[in-house]
Amino acid sequence: MNKKFLSLNEILFLIIGCILMSVSLTMFFEPHAIAPGGLTGLAIVINSIVNIPLWIINLSFNVPLFILAYKILSKKDCLKTILGIIFLTIGLKLTANLANINATSDPILASICGSILMGISLGFIFRINGSTGGTDLIGILANKFFPHLSVAVLMGIADFVVVVLSGVASSQLEIALYSAVSLYAIVKITDIVIEGFNYSKSFMIISDKSDELITIIMEELDRGATFLKGEGGYTRAEKDIIFIVVSRKQVVTLKKLVKSIDPNAFVVVTETHEIFGNGFKQIY
């Protein structure tokens, strides 16, 4: 398939992500004026002041931003962004009446539910490297004027400004705090959706008994391992470094095996995400 165009799977993820985002905004965030960053958050702030529908505000801001960023983006990113803007605008229009349902009168519960839906929606969209415009475009454009600041930092600044404005517009510090907490929760949930729950641990083991260790590891854990060649910084002696990735439930067992063979081994353990290949999941 031509890489300039999107697959059916990518379009489906984009549609589902935009629908979930629309529901989170109209059903949970808008009724309580909670603005968890982003251009959609700014739309909620403006809506709380002048009562203009979210879909109109979203479209009014995103179209000029997209036109300005058009030459900077690749053709495929342009297509994903314009489709994201269209799908989100339609989603906000179709779900506008959800704001009148009064799903909950508790702003804490609203921020939790809204953050979960928003985090899942962004996870779906980011998994295909998609975009709905907003602070993505603001960050890209601002980076041209402030090249010493990364796009991620500039997006963070834009989100912070929106959170502050939510408190100013509502004249309530609590609303700004709810917005800030929601923004944090959204980021964490988005990471979980993108990376999955299947965290593993990687071990780097430096030992004079590497041959014995590799044998018992393969026998007891039924895991493959890799020898990396190293050299002692002081002695300049060559060292075999064992590199192995195991599931969380195998961590304790591996530690015990290392201790039983070489209690003086040097071991580095790090948390890893999205392990692909033999013994783990396939690349999607």
Side-chain angles (χ1 to χ4, degrees), residues 129-140:
N129 198 29
S131 170
T132 57
T135 48
D136 290 10
L137 298 181
I138 292 173
I140 292 170

Side-chain angles (χ1 to χ4, degrees), residues 165-221:
L165 287 176
S166 70
V168 173
S170 62
S171 300
Q172 296 182 54
L173 177 60
E174 279 190 346
I175 295 298
L177 294 176
Y178 287 137
S179 298
V181 171
S182 296
L183 176 60
Y184 177 80
I186 288 167
V187 171
K188 292 300 180 183
I189 294 168
T190 301
D191 287 342
I192 290 173
V193 174
I194 294 173
E195 297 172 351
F197 288 96
N198 189 26
Y199 298 156
S200 301
K201 297 281 187 178
S202 62
F203 280 67
M204 294 189 73
I205 307 167
I206 303 174
S207 170
D208 293 328
K209 300 179 179 180
S210 55
D211 289 331
E212 294 177 57
L213 278 171
I214 204 79
T215 299
I216 195 170
I217 286 171
M218 289 191 291
E219 288 178 353
E220 297 293 330
L221 296 181

Side-chain angles (χ1 to χ4, degrees), residues 127-277:
R127 282 188 76 150
I128 61 163
N129 198 29
S131 170
T132 57
T135 48
D136 290 10
L137 298 181
I138 292 173
I140 292 170
L141 290 169
N143 180 250
K144 295 299 177 181
F145 298 96
F146 305 99
H148 58 288
L149 295 175
S150 69
V151 173
V153 169
L154 292 167
M155 288 173 61
I157 293 172
D159 287 334
F160 175 76
V161 170
V162 171
V163 167
V164 172
L165 287 176
S166 70
V168 173
S170 62
S171 300
Q172 296 182 54
L173 177 60
E174 279 190 346
I175 295 298
L177 294 176
Y178 287 137
S179 298
V181 171
S182 296
L183 176 60
Y184 177 80
I186 288 167
V187 171
K188 292 300 180 183
I189 294 168
T190 301
D191 287 342
I192 290 173
V193 174
I194 294 173
E195 297 172 351
F197 288 96
N198 189 26
Y199 298 156
S200 301
K201 297 281 187 178
S202 62
F203 280 67
M204 294 189 73
I205 307 167
I206 303 174
S207 170
D208 293 328
K209 300 179 179 180
S210 55
D211 289 331
E212 294 177 57
L213 278 171
I214 204 79
T215 299
I216 195 170
I217 286 171
M218 289 191 291
E219 288 178 353
E220 297 293 330
L221 296 181
D222 193 27
R223 284 285 183 196
T226 301
F227 275 133
L228 305 177
K229 295 299 181 181
E231 184 179 291
Y234 179 72
T235 64
R236 295 297 180 182
E238 289 189 356
K239 296 277 188 178
D240 282 331
I241 303 170
I242 299 173
F243 177 74
I244 182 172
V245 178
V246 297
S247 63
R248 283 190 169 185
K249 64 182 180 181
Q250 293 176 315
V251 169
V252 175
T253 303
L254 180 53
K255 287 179 180 178
K256 289 179 177 179
L257 290 175
V258 173
K259 184 178 180 180
S260 67
I261 299 298
D262 186 2
N264 297 317
F266 185 78
V267 182
V268 178
V269 185
T270 55
E271 190 167 80
T272 56
H273 302 269
E274 293 218 284
I275 312 302
F276 302 107

Side-chain angles (χ1 to χ4, degrees), residues 18-125:
C18 288
I19 291 173
L20 292 176
M21 185 182 294
S22 300
V23 173
S24 73
L25 290 165
T26 54
M27 181 178 283
F28 297 107
F29 289 138
E30 182 187 351
H32 299 276
I34 297 172
L39 197 55
T40 50
L42 182 59
I44 289 175
V45 172
I46 295 173
N47 172 267
S48 67
I49 299 173
V50 294
N51 199 31
I52 298 175
L54 294 183
W55 70 272
I56 293 178
I57 302 172
N58 180 70
L59 195 61
S60 300
F61 277 105
N62 266 315
V63 170
L65 283 173
F66 177 77
I67 293 171
L68 290 172
Y70 176 76
K71 292 185 177 180
I72 304 173
L73 301 171
S74 67
K75 290 184 178 180
K76 188 167 184 178
D77 285 339
C78 278
L79 181 58
K80 286 181 180 179
T81 301
I82 194 66
L83 285 177
I85 293 171
I86 292 171
F87 291 154
L88 180 59
T89 301
I90 293 173
L92 289 172
K93 172 65 175 176
L94 295 176
T95 61
N97 290 331
L98 293 179
N100 302 321
I101 289 179
N102 191 26
T104 175
S105 58
D106 185 350
I108 297 177
L109 188 58
S111 64
I112 292 172
C113 294
S115 298
I116 292 172
L117 282 178
M118 180 68 79
I120 294 172
S121 71
L122 288 173
F124 282 171
I125 293 170

